Amino acid sequence: LKMDETETYAEAMEVSRRDILGQMAMAGLLKDVSVSEEEAKAYFEKNPSEFATEAKAKAKHVLVEEEAKAKEIKEEIVSGAKTFEEAAKEYSTCPSSQRGGDLGTFGKGQMVKEFEEAVFTGELNTVIGPVKTQFGYHLIWVDEVNQGNVPAYDEAKEQIRTKLINKKQQETYQNKLDELRGKYIK
């Protein structure tokens, strides 16, 4: 078919040649970019919260309008007359009642203050409350709590180095781009 003799082929080869040369030039430009152990440690010490895991909890609740009703429901659960999930399905005014009150996993700052405080400071696997919020009175059951933490430097070291190398490569690329624009674009 002699496609390799067409102008379209020659144009495509020229584009490919430029792309390959550009990639080689970029690789040459970025090959010496590195991050020292001292730079990584300094960055970690300046920005420890950037590497922290978020505090999370897994909980369910029963929401009612009156405190007296919340106390009655709590008695039913504590006495064993109903499970927490059964009570949520029967009494809760929250849409989560269909799932036995299950709110799933959520982080700090996602729930109203009073509710969040009860979840993150309360005892696991027991009925907490009633807790008053702007929505009414909650009975809360907390299945899991992870308070979040800042890892040791050694645990975050590779993540830090990768982040800093990417940042330095981007800066090196941008500086070269600015230099070439200044030189060739008037």
Side-chain angles (χ1 to χ4, degrees):
L1 297 176
K2 298 186 179 189
M3 286 187 196
D4 60 335
E5 297 174 10
T6 66
E7 190 173 321
T8 303
Y9 176 79
E11 289 169 1
M13 288 302 291
E14 180 57 27
V15 168
S16 294
R17 186 184 73 77
R18 276 184 273 161
D19 285 347
I20 292 167
L21 286 171
Q23 290 172 10
M24 290 174 71
M26 183 68 67
L29 177 67
L30 301 179
K31 74 178 173 33
D32 294 327
V33 173
S34 64
V35 173
S36 70
E37 187 77 12
E38 294 76 29
E39 288 174 292
K41 279 184 180 176
Y43 187 86
F44 179 74
E45 288 169 8
K46 237 179 159 176
N47 306 284
S49 62
E50 196 174 308
F51 304 96
T53 57
E54 181 185 9
K56 293 187 178 213
K58 183 174 182 340
K60 45 191 158 238
H61 78 139
V62 176
L63 174 63
V64 294
E65 291 181 18
E66 300 170 1
E67 184 176 20
K69 184 65 175 173
K71 288 179 179 179
E72 285 177 31
I73 298 167
K74 183 176 184 174
E75 274 305 309
E76 286 186 49
I77 298 167
V78 171
S79 72
K82 284 193 177 11
T83 65
F84 195 93
E85 294 79 5
E86 290 168 340
K89 285 179 181 177
E90 186 174 334
Y91 301 115
S92 186
T93 60
C94 180
S96 68
S97 64
Q98 297 170 12
R99 298 182 309 277
D102 189 1
L103 296 169
T105 301
F106 52 89
K108 281 193 172 179
Q110 291 183 273
M111 301 293 179
V112 294
K113 183 182 177 218
E114 303 86 354
F115 187 92
E116 183 178 287
E117 191 173 293
V119 167
F120 284 97
T121 62
E123 192 175 330
L124 290 176
N125 302 311
T126 187
V127 182
I128 301 167
V131 174
K132 184 178 182 354
T133 70
Q134 67 198 46
F135 302 106
Y137 292 88
H138 304 261
L139 297 176
I140 305 168
W141 185 277
V142 182
D143 292 314
E144 298 172 21
V145 172
N146 170 348
Q147 293 294 347
N149 69 336
V150 176
Y153 169 74
D154 286 339
E155 294 173 44
K157 180 169 42 177
E158 286 310 309
Q159 182 184 0
I160 296 164
R161 292 176 73 84
T162 299
K163 179 184 181 87
L164 293 179
I165 284 175
N166 288 340
K167 184 178 176 185
K168 280 185 165 187
Q169 286 177 336
Q170 185 62 38
E171 289 169 358
T172 301
Y173 173 79
Q174 191 60 51
N175 290 341
K176 187 64 170 180
L177 193 59
D178 292 345
E179 174 193 327
L180 292 173
R181 280 186 179 141
K183 188 174 180 181
Y184 295 107
I185 298 175
K186 304 269 184 215

Tab-separated table of all heavy atoms in Angstrom, residues 117-141:
chain	number	residue	atom	x	y	z
A	117	GLU	N	-19.798	15.031	69.789
A	117	GLU	CA	-19.110	14.925	71.079
A	117	GLU	C	-19.502	13.638	71.797
A	117	GLU	O	-18.647	12.937	72.336
A	117	GLU	CB	-19.461	16.139	71.948
A	117	GLU	CG	-18.604	16.251	73.188
A	117	GLU	CD	-18.888	17.553	73.917
A	117	GLU	OE1	-18.564	18.619	73.351
A	117	GLU	OE2	-19.426	17.479	75.039
A	118	ALA	N	-20.788	13.315	71.775
A	118	ALA	CA	-21.248	12.085	72.419
A	118	ALA	C	-20.649	10.854	71.743
A	118	ALA	O	-20.223	9.911	72.410
A	118	ALA	CB	-22.773	12.016	72.392
A	119	VAL	N	-20.583	10.872	70.420
A	119	VAL	CA	-20.050	9.732	69.673
A	119	VAL	C	-18.563	9.526	69.955
A	119	VAL	O	-18.117	8.412	70.233
A	119	VAL	CB	-20.287	9.912	68.150
A	119	VAL	CG1	-19.476	8.915	67.334
A	119	VAL	CG2	-21.766	9.793	67.830
A	120	PHE	N	-17.791	10.606	69.903
A	120	PHE	CA	-16.342	10.464	70.024
A	120	PHE	C	-15.843	10.359	71.467
A	120	PHE	O	-14.680	10.030	71.687
A	120	PHE	CB	-15.625	11.589	69.271
A	120	PHE	CG	-15.631	11.368	67.776
A	120	PHE	CD1	-16.586	11.977	66.979
A	120	PHE	CD2	-14.715	10.526	67.177
A	120	PHE	CE1	-16.622	11.765	65.613
A	120	PHE	CE2	-14.730	10.302	65.807
A	120	PHE	CZ	-15.692	10.924	65.018
A	121	THR	N	-16.705	10.630	72.446
A	121	THR	CA	-16.273	10.496	73.845
A	121	THR	C	-17.042	9.412	74.592
A	121	THR	O	-16.652	9.023	75.682
A	121	THR	CB	-16.443	11.827	74.613
A	121	THR	OG1	-17.827	12.191	74.625
A	121	THR	CG2	-15.600	12.924	74.008
A	122	GLY	N	-18.120	8.934	73.997
A	122	GLY	CA	-18.967	7.943	74.669
A	122	GLY	C	-18.390	6.542	74.632
A	122	GLY	O	-17.421	6.252	73.925
A	123	GLU	N	-19.024	5.675	75.378
A	123	GLU	CA	-18.601	4.276	75.485
A	123	GLU	C	-19.107	3.494	74.271
A	123	GLU	O	-20.232	3.695	73.807
A	123	GLU	CB	-19.173	3.684	76.774
A	123	GLU	CG	-18.594	2.355	77.152
A	123	GLU	CD	-19.116	1.867	78.507
A	123	GLU	OE1	-19.433	2.709	79.360
A	123	GLU	OE2	-19.206	0.641	78.667
A	124	LEU	N	-18.288	2.586	73.793
A	124	LEU	CA	-18.670	1.746	72.660
A	124	LEU	C	-19.707	0.710	73.079
A	124	LEU	O	-19.713	0.238	74.222
A	124	LEU	CB	-17.458	0.999	72.103
A	124	LEU	CG	-16.395	1.800	71.372
A	124	LEU	CD1	-15.230	0.892	70.984
A	124	LEU	CD2	-16.954	2.477	70.146
A	125	ASN	N	-20.542	0.327	72.111
A	125	ASN	CA	-21.492	-0.770	72.263
A	125	ASN	C	-22.396	-0.653	73.483
A	125	ASN	O	-22.659	-1.634	74.180
A	125	ASN	CB	-20.756	-2.112	72.266
A	125	ASN	CG	-19.944	-2.299	70.993
A	125	ASN	OD1	-20.453	-2.109	69.896
A	125	ASN	ND2	-18.680	-2.624	71.143
A	126	THR	N	-22.861	0.549	73.737
A	126	THR	CA	-23.817	0.801	74.814
A	126	THR	C	-24.711	1.968	74.377
A	126	THR	O	-24.343	2.720	73.489
A	126	THR	CB	-23.098	1.107	76.149
A	126	THR	OG1	-24.053	1.176	77.183
A	126	THR	CG2	-22.311	2.388	76.093
A	127	VAL	N	-25.865	2.090	75.009
A	127	VAL	CA	-26.776	3.168	74.639
A	127	VAL	C	-26.301	4.468	75.290
A	127	VAL	O	-26.168	4.547	76.510
A	127	VAL	CB	-28.227	2.866	75.074
A	127	VAL	CG1	-29.150	4.004	74.632
A	127	VAL	CG2	-28.699	1.540	74.490
A	128	ILE	N	-26.051	5.461	74.467
A	128	ILE	CA	-25.625	6.780	74.942
A	128	ILE	C	-26.810	7.729	74.792
A	128	ILE	O	-27.462	7.755	73.761
A	128	ILE	CB	-24.435	7.306	74.109
A	128	ILE	CG1	-23.249	6.349	74.177
A	128	ILE	CG2	-24.048	8.711	74.537
A	128	ILE	CD1	-22.161	6.636	73.155
A	129	GLY	N	-27.067	8.504	75.814
A	129	GLY	CA	-28.105	9.516	75.691
A	129	GLY	C	-29.224	9.341	76.690
A	129	GLY	O	-29.122	8.507	77.584
A	130	PRO	N	-30.242	10.148	76.518
A	130	PRO	CA	-30.559	11.013	75.398
A	130	PRO	C	-29.606	12.211	75.276
A	130	PRO	O	-29.176	12.781	76.265
A	130	PRO	CB	-31.970	11.503	75.677
A	130	PRO	CG	-32.442	10.857	76.922
A	130	PRO	CD	-31.299	10.146	77.536
A	131	VAL	N	-29.305	12.538	74.021
A	131	VAL	CA	-28.458	13.678	73.690
A	131	VAL	C	-29.321	14.673	72.923
A	131	VAL	O	-29.875	14.338	71.874
A	131	VAL	CB	-27.247	13.246	72.823
A	131	VAL	CG1	-26.451	14.453	72.372
A	131	VAL	CG2	-26.374	12.257	73.569
A	132	LYS	N	-29.421	15.892	73.443
A	132	LYS	CA	-30.260	16.922	72.819
A	132	LYS	C	-29.471	17.664	71.756
A	132	LYS	O	-28.343	18.094	71.978
A	132	LYS	CB	-30.754	17.913	73.872
A	132	LYS	CG	-31.726	18.964	73.310
A	132	LYS	CD	-32.220	19.894	74.405
A	132	LYS	CE	-33.197	20.936	73.995
A	132	LYS	NZ	-33.559	21.147	72.658
A	133	THR	N	-30.081	17.785	70.564
A	133	THR	CA	-29.525	18.604	69.489
A	133	THR	C	-30.672	19.428	68.904
A	133	THR	O	-31.818	19.297	69.334
A	133	THR	CB	-28.915	17.751	68.346
A	133	THR	OG1	-29.962	17.104	67.635
A	133	THR	CG2	-27.909	16.739	68.859
A	134	GLN	N	-30.376	20.213	67.914
A	134	GLN	CA	-31.408	21.022	67.261
A	134	GLN	C	-32.477	20.165	66.587
A	134	GLN	O	-33.563	20.639	66.283
A	134	GLN	CB	-30.761	21.945	66.230
A	134	GLN	CG	-30.147	21.184	65.046
A	134	GLN	CD	-29.147	22.011	64.274
A	134	GLN	OE1	-28.291	22.662	64.837
A	134	GLN	NE2	-29.258	21.982	62.952
A	135	PHE	N	-32.190	18.881	66.377
A	135	PHE	CA	-33.129	17.991	65.694
A	135	PHE	C	-34.055	17.247	66.650
A	135	PHE	O	-35.039	16.674	66.220
A	135	PHE	CB	-32.367	16.975	64.829
A	135	PHE	CG	-31.481	17.639	63.820
A	135	PHE	CD1	-30.101	17.668	63.988
A	135	PHE	CD2	-32.028	18.262	62.707
A	135	PHE	CE1	-29.292	18.295	63.059
A	135	PHE	CE2	-31.215	18.896	61.767
A	135	PHE	CZ	-29.848	18.913	61.945
A	136	GLY	N	-33.689	17.216	67.914
A	136	GLY	CA	-34.485	16.488	68.902
A	136	GLY	C	-33.570	15.767	69.877
A	136	GLY	O	-32.468	16.233	70.176
A	137	TYR	N	-34.036	14.602	70.343
A	137	TYR	CA	-33.285	13.813	71.317
A	137	TYR	C	-32.812	12.521	70.663
A	137	TYR	O	-33.601	11.799	70.055
A	137	TYR	CB	-34.144	13.520	72.543
A	137	TYR	CG	-34.433	14.772	73.330
A	137	TYR	CD1	-35.526	15.573	73.025
A	137	TYR	CD2	-33.583	15.171	74.361
A	137	TYR	CE1	-35.780	16.747	73.732
A	137	TYR	CE2	-33.821	16.341	75.069
A	137	TYR	CZ	-34.921	17.128	74.749
A	137	TYR	OH	-35.145	18.283	75.444
A	138	HIS	N	-31.533	12.251	70.820
A	138	HIS	CA	-30.924	11.074	70.201
A	138	HIS	C	-30.535	10.052	71.254
A	138	HIS	O	-30.012	10.407	72.313
A	138	HIS	CB	-29.623	11.448	69.471
A	138	HIS	CG	-29.770	12.511	68.441
A	138	HIS	ND1	-29.873	12.229	67.107
A	138	HIS	CD2	-29.814	13.863	68.544
A	138	HIS	CE1	-29.964	13.371	66.429
A	138	HIS	NE2	-29.934	14.374	67.295
A	139	LEU	N	-30.743	8.802	70.908
A	139	LEU	CA	-30.083	7.696	71.590
A	139	LEU	C	-29.047	7.222	70.580
A	139	LEU	O	-29.354	7.086	69.382
A	139	LEU	CB	-31.062	6.580	71.915
A	139	LEU	CG	-32.174	6.945	72.873
A	139	LEU	CD1	-33.138	5.778	73.046
A	139	LEU	CD2	-31.628	7.387	74.221
A	140	ILE	N	-27.853	6.990	71.029
A	140	ILE	CA	-26.747	6.695	70.107
A	140	ILE	C	-26.087	5.383	70.501
A	140	ILE	O	-25.881	5.109	71.690
A	140	ILE	CB	-25.699	7.837	70.138
A	140	ILE	CG1	-26.365	9.182	69.848
A	140	ILE	CG2	-24.571	7.555	69.159
A	140	ILE	CD1	-25.493	10.392	70.134
A	141	TRP	N	-25.749	4.610	69.500
A	141	TRP	CA	-24.996	3.366	69.684
A	141	TRP	C	-23.765	3.476	68.799
A	141	TRP	O	-23.873	3.618	67.580
A	141	TRP	CB	-25.831	2.165	69.258
A	141	TRP	CG	-25.179	0.853	69.525
A	141	TRP	CD1	-24.251	0.208	68.752
A	141	TRP	CD2	-25.399	0.013	70.651
A	141	TRP	NE1	-23.891	-0.967	69.323
A	141	TRP	CE2	-24.588	-1.120	70.501
A	141	TRP	CE3	-26.209	0.101	71.773
A	141	TRP	CZ2	-24.558	-2.158	71.423
A	141	TRP	CZ3	-26.183	-0.931	72.686
A	141	TRP	CH2	-25.365	-2.046	72.524
